[in-house]
Amino acid sequence: MKYRLAVFDLDGTILNTLDDLAGSINYALKCSDMPERTIDEVRSFVGNGIRKLVERAVPKGTDSAIIDEVHNSFTVHYTDHCADKTKPYDGIEQLLANLRRAGCLTAVVSNKADYAVQGLCKQYFDGMFDYAVGEREGIRKKPAPDSVNEVLHRLGVPKNEAVYIGDSDVDVETAKNAGMDCISVEWGFRNRDFLEKHGAKLIVGSADEAEKIILSE
């Protein structure tokens, strides 16, 4: 196979989490008497972690102490409601099963809070990943390569034998910063035109396409 390890982003790549993210951010905004955001607005806000999502969602000029309150409200709500409407994208479960059957290692590196990454991977993909990490205090978020490098080290795979799969410009930059190949997916939170404008070289439209590339000789 071409790659011994496939490292996946989470939001917009293996799980459609948009409705639950929007529900929790709007709950948090409402708690602070702020205007709610549309699904399309929330889609454009995600990709750089929960703190950045909150900062983008609140009105411009909001005091940092108020942002902290909104962030806390989001965290409390999302902890209990992160799987209300979330579901895997078409073909992802079969893709992971086929990769593992072929002997390919699998991992998740996400800017989503680590508690949510662990919980969602357990709920939807129990036993399907060799390693999964989310945003943690003291570890630089994507597009910094820190967590990807951690996965490579933990699983003992050199970067030239691994590929990063994601749906955003952040993921393209993450792969570049880690010195890895990248597969961009167009079913997530960013469309093909956006991905191409932000440097994506290889874009797939289905899980089957991704599998053929990963397992190709």
Side-chain angles (χ1 to χ4, degrees), residues 134-145:
E135 180 186 1
R136 296 155 295 163
E137 188 174 351
I139 306 295
R140 293 186 301 168
K141 299 191 297 290
K142 299 184 305 181

Side-chain angles (χ1 to χ4, degrees), residues 7-9 109 142 148 162-166 171 175 180-183:
V7 184
F8 293 85
D9 172 49
V109 171
K142 299 184 305 181
V148 173
V163 62
Y164 193 86
I165 303 104
D171 299 315
M180 291 169 56
D181 289 346
C182 182
I183 299 173

Side-chain angles (χ1 to χ4, degrees), residues 70-204:
V70 177
H71 184 277
N72 291 337
S73 295
F74 174 93
T75 299
V76 170
H77 190 271
Y78 194 65
T79 299
D80 292 334
H81 298 278
C82 65
D84 288 359
K85 298 179 180 178
T86 287
K87 60 182 179 179
Y89 285 102
D90 291 344
I92 293 299
E93 292 162 300
Q94 190 61 53
L95 166 63
L96 294 173
N98 291 346
L99 292 180
R100 295 182 69 79
R101 190 176 299 113
C104 182
L105 297 170
T106 54
V108 169
V109 171
S110 172
N111 276 343
K112 196 180 201 72
D114 192 62
Y115 73 85
V117 171
Q118 303 304 329
L120 290 170
C121 284
K122 175 72 174 176
Q123 179 169 346
Y124 292 100
F125 308 110
D126 193 19
M128 299 300 287
F129 289 108
D130 296 286
Y131 200 63
V133 292
E135 180 186 1
R136 296 155 295 163
E137 188 174 351
I139 306 295
R140 293 186 301 168
K141 299 191 297 290
K142 299 184 305 181
D146 301 37
S147 290
V148 173
N149 289 336
E150 177 184 339
V151 169
L152 294 172
H153 177 73
R154 287 291 187 99
L155 298 181
V157 178
K159 60 187 178 183
N160 65 312
E161 295 181 14
V163 62
Y164 193 86
I165 303 104
D167 72 304
S168 74
D169 52 320
V170 175
D171 299 315
V172 173
E173 285 299 311
T174 299
K176 180 180 178 180
N177 291 337
M180 291 169 56
D181 289 346
C182 182
I183 299 173
S184 297
V185 307
E186 63 175 343
W187 59 73
F189 298 165
R190 305 289 187 268
N191 61 34
R192 178 178 284 268
D193 286 344
F194 179 95
L195 291 168
E196 289 177 344
K197 289 176 182 176
H198 288 81
K201 304 298 184 184
L202 181 58
I203 304 173
V204 298

